[in-house]
Short mmCIF file of all heavy atoms in Angstrom, two decimals:
data_model
loop_
_atom_site.label_atom_id
_atom_site.label_comp_id
_atom_site.label_asym_id
_atom_site.label_seq_id
_atom_site.Cartn_x
_atom_site.Cartn_y
_atom_site.Cartn_z
N ALA K 14 12.59 14.97 -19.28
CA ALA K 14 13.78 15.01 -18.48
C ALA K 14 13.76 16.22 -17.45
O ALA K 14 14.35 16.10 -16.38
CB ALA K 14 15.04 15.24 -19.39
N ALA K 15 13.10 17.28 -17.83
CA ALA K 15 13.05 18.42 -17.00
C ALA K 15 11.79 18.44 -16.09
O ALA K 15 11.63 19.43 -15.35
CB ALA K 15 13.04 19.80 -17.83
N ASN K 16 10.98 17.43 -16.10
CA ASN K 16 9.74 17.44 -15.36
C ASN K 16 10.00 17.23 -13.82
O ASN K 16 10.45 16.10 -13.42
CB ASN K 16 8.80 16.30 -15.94
CG ASN K 16 7.36 16.53 -15.50
OD1 ASN K 16 7.03 17.61 -14.97
ND2 ASN K 16 6.64 15.56 -15.72
N ARG K 17 9.67 18.21 -13.11
CA ARG K 17 9.78 18.10 -11.58
C ARG K 17 8.47 18.61 -11.02
O ARG K 17 7.83 19.38 -11.63
CB ARG K 17 10.99 18.89 -11.15
CG ARG K 17 12.30 18.53 -11.66
CD ARG K 17 13.40 19.54 -11.27
NE ARG K 17 13.12 20.82 -11.88
CZ ARG K 17 13.97 21.27 -12.79
NH1 ARG K 17 15.05 20.73 -13.13
NH2 ARG K 17 13.76 22.42 -13.39
N GLN K 18 8.29 18.26 -9.76
CA GLN K 18 7.06 18.70 -9.02
C GLN K 18 7.49 20.13 -8.42
O GLN K 18 8.62 20.36 -8.04
CB GLN K 18 6.76 17.86 -7.85
CG GLN K 18 6.18 16.44 -8.33
CD GLN K 18 4.90 16.62 -9.14
OE1 GLN K 18 4.07 17.42 -8.80
NE2 GLN K 18 4.77 15.90 -10.16
N VAL K 19 6.50 21.11 -8.43
CA VAL K 19 6.69 22.36 -7.81
C VAL K 19 5.65 22.43 -6.62
O VAL K 19 4.67 21.92 -6.66
CB VAL K 19 6.49 23.47 -8.85
CG1 VAL K 19 7.58 23.58 -9.85
CG2 VAL K 19 5.13 23.43 -9.55
N ASN K 20 6.11 23.20 -5.62
CA ASN K 20 5.22 23.35 -4.45
C ASN K 20 4.03 24.22 -4.66
O ASN K 20 4.14 25.04 -5.71
CB ASN K 20 6.00 23.69 -3.23
CG ASN K 20 6.55 25.06 -3.29
OD1 ASN K 20 5.89 26.01 -3.72
ND2 ASN K 20 7.78 25.16 -2.90
N LYS K 21 3.02 24.15 -3.87
CA LYS K 21 1.81 24.87 -4.09
C LYS K 21 1.99 26.35 -3.94
O LYS K 21 1.34 27.15 -4.51
CB LYS K 21 0.75 24.36 -3.03
CG LYS K 21 0.27 22.97 -3.40
CD LYS K 21 -0.75 22.53 -2.40
CE LYS K 21 -1.21 21.06 -2.71
NZ LYS K 21 -2.17 20.54 -1.74
N THR K 22 2.91 26.76 -3.05
CA THR K 22 3.15 28.23 -2.91
C THR K 22 3.75 28.75 -4.17
O THR K 22 3.32 29.92 -4.57
CB THR K 22 4.22 28.44 -1.76
OG1 THR K 22 3.76 27.80 -0.54
CG2 THR K 22 4.52 29.89 -1.41
N PHE K 23 4.70 28.09 -4.78
CA PHE K 23 5.16 28.59 -6.06
C PHE K 23 4.07 28.71 -7.06
O PHE K 23 3.92 29.76 -7.79
CB PHE K 23 6.27 27.65 -6.57
CG PHE K 23 7.02 28.10 -7.86
CD1 PHE K 23 7.92 29.13 -7.74
CD2 PHE K 23 6.63 27.51 -9.05
CE1 PHE K 23 8.50 29.56 -8.92
CE2 PHE K 23 7.25 28.03 -10.16
CZ PHE K 23 8.19 28.99 -10.16
N VAL K 24 3.23 27.66 -7.24
CA VAL K 24 2.13 27.64 -8.17
C VAL K 24 1.21 28.92 -7.93
O VAL K 24 0.79 29.64 -8.80
CB VAL K 24 1.38 26.40 -8.18
CG1 VAL K 24 0.17 26.44 -9.03
CG2 VAL K 24 2.26 25.25 -8.58
N PHE K 25 0.89 29.05 -6.61
CA PHE K 25 -0.06 30.16 -6.25
C PHE K 25 0.58 31.48 -6.62
O PHE K 25 -0.13 32.40 -7.21
CB PHE K 25 -0.37 30.13 -4.69
CG PHE K 25 -1.08 31.41 -4.26
CD1 PHE K 25 -2.43 31.52 -4.56
CD2 PHE K 25 -0.45 32.40 -3.66
CE1 PHE K 25 -3.15 32.56 -4.12
CE2 PHE K 25 -1.07 33.49 -3.20
CZ PHE K 25 -2.50 33.65 -3.53
N LEU K 26 1.80 31.67 -6.30
CA LEU K 26 2.47 32.97 -6.51
C LEU K 26 2.54 33.29 -8.04
O LEU K 26 2.27 34.38 -8.48
CB LEU K 26 3.88 33.08 -6.03
CG LEU K 26 3.96 33.29 -4.46
CD1 LEU K 26 5.44 33.13 -4.04
CD2 LEU K 26 3.45 34.66 -4.10
N ILE K 27 2.86 32.30 -8.87
CA ILE K 27 2.89 32.46 -10.29
C ILE K 27 1.53 32.89 -10.85
O ILE K 27 1.46 33.88 -11.58
CB ILE K 27 3.39 31.12 -11.06
CG1 ILE K 27 4.86 30.98 -10.83
CG2 ILE K 27 3.08 31.27 -12.52
CD1 ILE K 27 5.79 31.87 -11.49
N TRP K 28 0.53 32.14 -10.49
CA TRP K 28 -0.82 32.41 -10.97
C TRP K 28 -1.44 33.75 -10.39
O TRP K 28 -1.95 34.55 -11.09
CB TRP K 28 -1.78 31.33 -10.74
CG TRP K 28 -1.63 30.16 -11.77
CD1 TRP K 28 -1.17 28.98 -11.42
CD2 TRP K 28 -1.79 30.25 -13.12
NE1 TRP K 28 -1.11 28.25 -12.64
CE2 TRP K 28 -1.53 28.99 -13.70
CE3 TRP K 28 -2.24 31.28 -13.97
CZ2 TRP K 28 -1.64 28.78 -15.06
CZ3 TRP K 28 -2.35 31.06 -15.36
CH2 TRP K 28 -2.09 29.78 -15.84
N PHE K 29 -1.15 33.99 -9.14
CA PHE K 29 -1.58 35.22 -8.51
C PHE K 29 -0.95 36.46 -9.18
O PHE K 29 -1.69 37.37 -9.56
CB PHE K 29 -1.33 35.14 -7.04
CG PHE K 29 -1.68 36.46 -6.33
CD1 PHE K 29 -3.09 36.75 -6.13
CD2 PHE K 29 -0.81 37.42 -5.94
CE1 PHE K 29 -3.51 37.89 -5.50
CE2 PHE K 29 -1.21 38.58 -5.28
CZ PHE K 29 -2.52 38.90 -5.11
N LEU K 30 0.32 36.47 -9.26
CA LEU K 30 1.01 37.59 -9.86
C LEU K 30 0.74 37.81 -11.40
O LEU K 30 0.54 38.98 -11.76
CB LEU K 30 2.56 37.50 -9.59
CG LEU K 30 2.91 37.68 -8.18
CD1 LEU K 30 4.40 37.44 -8.00
CD2 LEU K 30 2.60 39.05 -7.61
N THR K 31 0.67 36.78 -12.14
CA THR K 31 0.39 36.92 -13.59
C THR K 31 -1.03 37.27 -13.74
O THR K 31 -1.33 38.26 -14.53
CB THR K 31 0.73 35.66 -14.39
OG1 THR K 31 0.02 34.58 -13.76
CG2 THR K 31 2.23 35.39 -14.41
N GLY K 32 -1.99 36.75 -12.94
CA GLY K 32 -3.37 37.13 -13.02
C GLY K 32 -3.58 38.61 -12.63
O GLY K 32 -4.27 39.39 -13.25
N LEU K 33 -2.88 39.06 -11.50
CA LEU K 33 -2.95 40.41 -11.00
C LEU K 33 -2.42 41.38 -12.09
O LEU K 33 -3.05 42.39 -12.30
CB LEU K 33 -2.19 40.53 -9.70
CG LEU K 33 -2.26 41.88 -9.04
CD1 LEU K 33 -3.69 42.27 -8.67
CD2 LEU K 33 -1.33 41.85 -7.82
N PHE K 34 -1.26 40.98 -12.68
CA PHE K 34 -0.76 41.86 -13.71
C PHE K 34 -1.72 42.03 -14.92
O PHE K 34 -2.02 43.15 -15.22
CB PHE K 34 0.53 41.13 -14.29
CG PHE K 34 1.18 41.73 -15.47
CD1 PHE K 34 1.66 43.13 -15.49
CD2 PHE K 34 1.29 41.00 -16.65
CE1 PHE K 34 2.19 43.59 -16.61
CE2 PHE K 34 1.80 41.65 -17.81
CZ PHE K 34 2.31 42.87 -17.74
N VAL K 35 -2.28 40.97 -15.41
CA VAL K 35 -3.15 41.09 -16.59
C VAL K 35 -4.36 41.83 -16.19
O VAL K 35 -4.90 42.72 -16.96
CB VAL K 35 -3.52 39.62 -17.12
CG1 VAL K 35 -4.60 39.73 -18.17
CG2 VAL K 35 -2.27 38.98 -17.71
N PHE K 36 -5.01 41.54 -15.04
CA PHE K 36 -6.22 42.21 -14.56
C PHE K 36 -6.00 43.67 -14.34
O PHE K 36 -6.79 44.47 -14.72
CB PHE K 36 -6.73 41.49 -13.28
CG PHE K 36 -7.93 42.25 -12.69
CD1 PHE K 36 -9.10 42.05 -13.31
CD2 PHE K 36 -7.82 43.10 -11.54
CE1 PHE K 36 -10.28 42.70 -12.82
CE2 PHE K 36 -8.90 43.72 -11.10
CZ PHE K 36 -10.14 43.58 -11.65
N SER K 37 -4.81 44.02 -13.84
CA SER K 37 -4.49 45.42 -13.55
C SER K 37 -4.37 46.19 -14.92
O SER K 37 -4.84 47.25 -15.08
CB SER K 37 -3.18 45.61 -12.83
OG SER K 37 -3.27 44.97 -11.61
N LEU K 38 -3.73 45.61 -15.90
CA LEU K 38 -3.65 46.24 -17.18
C LEU K 38 -4.95 46.41 -17.78
O LEU K 38 -5.20 47.48 -18.36
CB LEU K 38 -2.64 45.41 -18.07
CG LEU K 38 -1.14 45.50 -17.76
CD1 LEU K 38 -0.35 44.55 -18.72
CD2 LEU K 38 -0.61 46.92 -17.85
#
């Protein structure tokens, strides 16, 4: 019921910021 498409910019930002966070730590 909650399944929606997300745009590529959102996907990129999520992965970039979480990856940067983990890599920095």
Side-chain angles (χ1 to χ4, degrees):
N16 197 13
R17 299 173 292 247
Q18 292 297 318
V19 290
N20 66 45
K21 291 179 182 178
T22 304
F23 184 78
V24 173
F25 172 78
L26 283 175
I27 288 290
W28 282 114
F29 177 74
L30 291 173
T31 54
L33 182 62
F34 171 63
V35 171
F36 178 74
S37 298
L38 287 177

